[in-house]
Structure formats: C-alpha cells, structure tokens
C-alpha cells in the first residue's frame, strides 16, 4: 500500500501539483493517514516544490505577469494547484530574475 501511495504521489508531482494538492488526492484515494504522512515527508526531501512552481509559471504563464490582476489570478491558480505562498513568492522571484538576465 505504501508503494502504491508513493507512485500516486510521484504521478501527481509530475502533473505540476504542489504538496497540498498531492495530499488531498492521496486522502481522496483513501490511503491510510500514516502512509500519506510518510510519503509526504519523503517528498519534501526529494522534490523541490519551489522549482516545480517556477516551472509551472514558465510553462503556463510564460513568465510573471506584469499586470497586478493577472498576477493575482496566477497566484490563485497556483494555490489551487497546492503551492504555498512562500513557494509561489520564491518561484516568482526566480522567474522574474531569469527574465531580467535574458
């Protein structure tokens, strides 16, 4: 059961989901809470969610929007994808710095 839960979490991560969204999916699949906690703990060490968030921003939004309302909509979408505000802010800074360097 633990292996199946871990595989599901990895699939969710490849979809570009953040930790919270992955956890919600695993709970919906009715895996035991202890197994989910173990899988999520191992994900924290093996997955850089800030980098994943930056990848989503680059791919879906082609950079950080300049318009305030567009940034707000992007942030709301990233929160729904399971990312936390710290990860989103760090990813936005990373992507914006890359755009300045280019």
């Amino acid at each position: 059961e633990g292996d199946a839960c871990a595989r599901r979490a990895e699939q969710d991560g490849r979809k570009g989901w953040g930790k919270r969204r992955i956890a919600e999916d695993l709970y919906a699949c009715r895996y035991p809470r202890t197994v989910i906690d173990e899988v999520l703990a191992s994900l924290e060490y093996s997955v850089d969610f800030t980098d994943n968030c930056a990848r989503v921003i680059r791919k879906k939004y082609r950079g950080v929007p300049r318009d305030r309302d567009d940034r707000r909509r992007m942030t709301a979408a990233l929160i729904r994808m399971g990312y936390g505000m710290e990860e989103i802010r760090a990813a936005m800074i990373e992507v914006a710095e890359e755009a300045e360097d280019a």
Side-chain angles (χ1 to χ4, degrees), residues 27-84:
Y27 286 122
C29 291
R30 299 187 179 267
Y31 289 108
R33 186 177 185 95
T34 55
V35 173
I36 293 172
D37 291 343
E38 289 174 16
V39 168
L40 293 176
S42 69
L43 277 181
E44 283 193 26
Y45 293 108
S46 62
V47 177
D48 184 353
F49 287 105
T50 301
D51 188 48
N52 285 358
C53 185
R55 197 172 306 125
V56 170
I57 292 170
R58 282 186 217 103
K59 183 177 179 182
K60 189 171 182 180
Y61 300 98
R62 305 204 193 299
V64 178
R66 294 192 185 276
D67 182 65
R68 185 177 182 171
D69 289 334
D70 289 341
R71 269 196 319 270
R72 198 174 297 140
R73 280 190 284 277
M74 180 189 72
T75 300
L78 292 169
I79 288 171
R80 286 190 300 273
M81 290 181 74
Y83 294 104

Side-chain angles (χ1 to χ4, degrees), residues 1 11 14 24-25 28 40 46-47 51 53 66 72 77 85 91 93 98:
E1 197 166 61
Q11 289 173 345
R14 283 193 296 272
E24 289 171 5
D25 184 52
L40 293 176
S46 62
V47 177
D51 188 48
C53 185
R66 294 192 185 276
R72 198 174 297 140
M85 282 307 298
I93 290 168
E98 289 171 1

